[in-house]
Amino acid sequence: MLADPQFISKITAQVLAKLQETEQGKENTGIFATMDDAVAAARHAYRELKTLSLEKREGLIAAMREAACANAALLAEMAVQETGMGRVIDKIVKNKLAARKTPGTEDLRTGAWTGDRGLTIVEQGPFGVIGAITPTTNPSETLINNGIGMIAAGNAVVFSPHPTARLTSRRTVEILNAAIVRAGGPANLLTAVAEPSIEAAERMMKHPDVNMLVATGGPGVVRAVLSSGKKAIGAGAGNPPAVVDETADIAKAARDIVDGCSFDNNLPCIAEKEVIAVGSIADELTAYMGKYGAYPIRGRQVEDLMKVVLTEKEERMAPGCTAKPRKLYGVNKNFIGKDAGYILRQIGLSVPDGVKVVLCETEADHPFVLEELMMPVLPLVQVKDIDAAVELAVKVEHGNRHTAIMHSKNVDHLTRLARAIETTIFVKNGPSYAGIGVGGEGFTTFTIAGPTGEGLTSARSFTRQRRCVLVDAFSIV
Ligand code: NAD
């Protein structure tokens, strides 16, 4: 008899949970029953880290990088198993990317002034204990990336991971802590509670021994840290448009958009969420996208898909208001990060394995365009020219100032959109993931702080500036 896949999933989850309980029993895993204990242990580890040299700190980071790479596949498999979202093969790439391309201590900069009155330096020191809230969409990547960057800056970290990814995030903390201890570093430089919850996150935000907060997630959590009264970095939601004009290399644009949109089944906040194409090249673009793995649907099929992947309710009207209530749409969480083939099967379409993206042409105000779907369902809107493309891209990005992508060979067009949309990341002529260092230059991050302006965060984002002044000496000229 063939075992039911759901039954296998359930058993695997139970075994994983049991394994985690056993790990918890061991010392120095970084996992604690209460938030107060997690903070106290991180505070103790921070004091110990302060006694170590920068060279030693860099040694701990090297050990974290190695452990994260060695466990990239395990963590990727756990994440897909536990959350039911994303693709193992892409999550391996993301884990390794975080391990290898997150900057270490070399990111820290010292500023200096010399002159008649001596030498003044400004150094970047640690905050102390950072409380980091992490998303379900990158449940190990964010911890690897934040962990390396925050420790490189001399901090200890208390993580508050998303409850639906708690086992994966816990395992990541354990793996990184074990590597640090093996390399001769303090235990519990990274900590978390065994059972993360909103209540535990709130306790962390209010805890007097947590000096700084970093939130990676949707608008709710960014708002929560920004109202905490503490120094906070907020890395929030995006809805990245991919604009294609008539001067673009259409075949390449099509391939890049399909690749970027389907990476980890569209979970990354930077991934292409809608295409805005100038009318004269829209048909050619659609045809090429089909060639590279997009499956076009239309008419009734789009309506059926809306019923599956969106939630719908009527606007609540004030008493006495006679206006017709509007339909309000949301995203059906059951389809976030699912394969295109799985999504299409829900509307009765069976497609070959190579299909990566569901493509549909829509109006500009369609909920597929306006909502951050986080699944490989890609609406395409035709516009008459570049003016209309820029206007629409700015509108549907919703002022998140997160990420935008454009395919064009016209420098003026590229510059116009970049200036108008003011995003933290603007990728020209490549897939969105080039913006975080995959097939593009530059370091990586999994915490892109648009709302608070740190941009692509790295070690230096997690530091305090401290000035030290030596009067009338040490200037040698
Ligand atoms: P989410 O907002 O549901 O959860 C993120 C984290 O915040 C979780 O740990 C959750 O438990 C916690 N949380 C949520 N509300 C909270 C509250 N009121 N108080 C305290 N903690 C709270 O997001 P998600 O579904 O896990 O992740 C997807 C979202 O994150 C998308 O909107 C995506 O664009 C965004 N994201 C942004 C970045 C970035 O770098 N800007 C990176 C990844 C994901």
Side-chain angles (χ1 to χ4, degrees):
M1 191 185 83
L2 280 177
D4 171 11
Q6 273 189 341
F7 176 70
I8 295 178
S9 293
K10 207 169 142 196
I11 294 294
T12 315
Q14 282 170 0
V15 172
L16 286 173
K18 207 74 212 159
L19 271 174
Q20 300 300 313
E21 279 168 22
T22 324
E23 282 293 319
Q24 223 184 308
K26 292 184 195 163
E27 280 182 13
N28 300 336
T29 58
I31 306 302
F32 292 85
T34 68
M35 185 51 82
D36 286 358
D37 287 347
V39 174
R43 170 67 51 190
H44 184 76
Y46 164 62
R47 284 199 205 99
E48 286 188 38
L49 183 64
K50 274 174 72 161
T51 67
L52 303 182
S53 66
L54 263 183
E55 189 183 0
K56 183 75 190 173
R57 202 190 290 173
E58 197 47 53
L60 306 184
I61 289 165
M64 291 169 77
R65 294 189 198 282
E66 202 183 317
C69 278
N71 289 282
L74 170 90
L75 294 171
E77 274 163 29
M78 271 188 87
V80 173
Q81 173 73 40
E82 186 182 17
T83 64
M85 299 176 195
R87 287 158 46 89
V88 171
I89 193 158
D90 295 336
K91 285 192 185 291
I92 295 175
V93 172
K94 287 162 71 182
N95 284 333
K96 289 189 174 169
L97 175 70
R100 291 176 179 151
K101 287 190 86 173
T102 300
T105 55
E106 76 286 358
D107 193 53
L108 305 175
R109 297 268 185 278
T110 301
W113 294 264
T114 61
D116 295 342
R117 300 310 307 267
L119 166 72
T120 294
I121 58 168
V122 172
E123 288 187 296
Q124 300 186 310
F127 260 87
V129 175
I130 299 181
I133 303 179
T134 59
T136 185
T137 47
N138 298 327
S140 50
E141 305 87 321
T142 314
L143 278 85
I144 297 166
N145 170 252
N146 283 182
I148 291 175
M150 291 171 185
I151 290 176
N155 305 285
V157 193
V158 182
F159 282 109
S160 182
H162 199 289
T164 62
R166 69 185 196 288
L167 295 179
T168 311
S169 299
R170 256 161 69 170
R171 191 78 194 111
T172 311
V173 168
E174 288 162 358
I175 287 167
L176 295 175
N177 266 328
I180 292 168
V181 171
R182 273 198 307 276
N188 301 320
L189 262 182
L190 310 171
T191 66
V193 285
E195 296 299 333
S197 62
I198 297 282
E199 293 71 35
E202 281 168 356
R203 174 71 193 141
M204 183 182 84
M205 289 191 272
K206 289 195 185 117
H207 201 294
D209 269 347
V210 172
N211 307 97
M212 177 191 195
L213 297 167
V214 178
T216 310
V221 68
V222 170
R223 245 192 327 272
V225 294
L226 293 186
S227 1
S228 68
K230 294 188 180 184
K231 159 76 184 181
I233 294 180
N239 194 36
V243 172
V244 188
D245 78 6
E246 66 282 6
T247 70
D249 176 339
I250 305 298
K252 182 177 181 307
R255 194 179 58 217
D256 287 348
I257 291 170
V258 171
D259 287 352
C261 170
S262 60
F263 186 59
D264 206 16
N265 280 345
N266 202 248
L267 288 180
C269 52
I270 55 163
E272 291 81 350
K273 300 282 189 287
E274 60 277 335
V275 179
I276 299 170
V278 169
S280 56
I281 51 85
D283 288 347
E284 190 186 353
L285 181 69
T286 309
Y288 273 116
M289 286 176 76
K291 186 173 161 200
Y292 293 119
Y295 186 88
I297 59 167
R298 50 183 65 85
R300 182 66 195 270
Q301 293 167 329
V302 179
E303 283 165 32
D304 288 349
L305 189 63
M306 284 175 71
K307 288 189 193 115
V308 172
V309 302
L310 296 176
T311 57
E312 188 186 316
K313 59 180 181 193
E314 278 200 344
E315 187 179 17
R316 241 214 258 147
M317 307 304 282
C321 176
T322 53
K324 197 167 166 246
R326 288 174 307 162
K327 279 184 188 164
L328 299 177
Y329 292 98
V331 179
N332 182 343
K333 289 197 163 57
N334 295 328
F335 293 93
I336 293 180
K338 290 287 192 276
D339 291 340
Y342 174 83
I343 293 171
L344 285 170
R345 276 199 295 284
Q346 313 306 310
I347 57 165
L349 294 171
S350 191
V351 296
D353 279 350
V355 168
K356 298 193 216 168
V357 166
V358 183
L359 179 66
C360 51
E361 196 173 323
T362 68
E363 295 300 316
D365 58 354
H366 194 279
F368 283 174
V369 177
L370 300 177
E371 296 295 324
E372 187 196 22
L373 294 180
M374 290 191 288
M375 62 185 80
V377 171
L378 189 61
L380 182 147
V381 182
Q382 286 200 35
V383 287
K384 71 173 187 317
D385 55 21
I386 184 67
D387 296 334
V390 170
E391 191 184 334
L392 182 60
V394 170
K395 184 170 166 226
V396 302
E397 211 272 329
H398 303 308
N400 293 323
R401 300 201 287 183
H402 194 298
T403 298
I405 304 101
M406 184 161 178
H407 297 268
S408 170
K409 292 198 176 142
N410 182 318
V411 175
D412 293 339
H413 290 183
L414 290 163
T415 309
R416 270 176 61 193
L417 180 59
R419 285 191 181 155
I421 204 160
E422 296 183 332
T423 46
T424 307
I425 297 180
F426 188 70
V427 177
K428 295 178 243 175
N429 298 326
S432 51
Y433 48 66
I436 54 163
V438 184
E441 288 300 325
F443 67 89
T444 202
T445 190
F446 283 79
T447 295
I448 298 153
T452 48
E454 290 77 6
L456 283 87
T457 56
S458 60
R460 71 178 78 162
S461 318
F462 311 121
T463 58
R464 296 170 56 225
Q465 312 279 312
R466 296 175 57 195
R467 177 185 276 211
C468 191
V469 183
L470 177 67
V471 178
D472 291 342
F474 273 125
S475 173
I476 55 168
V477 288

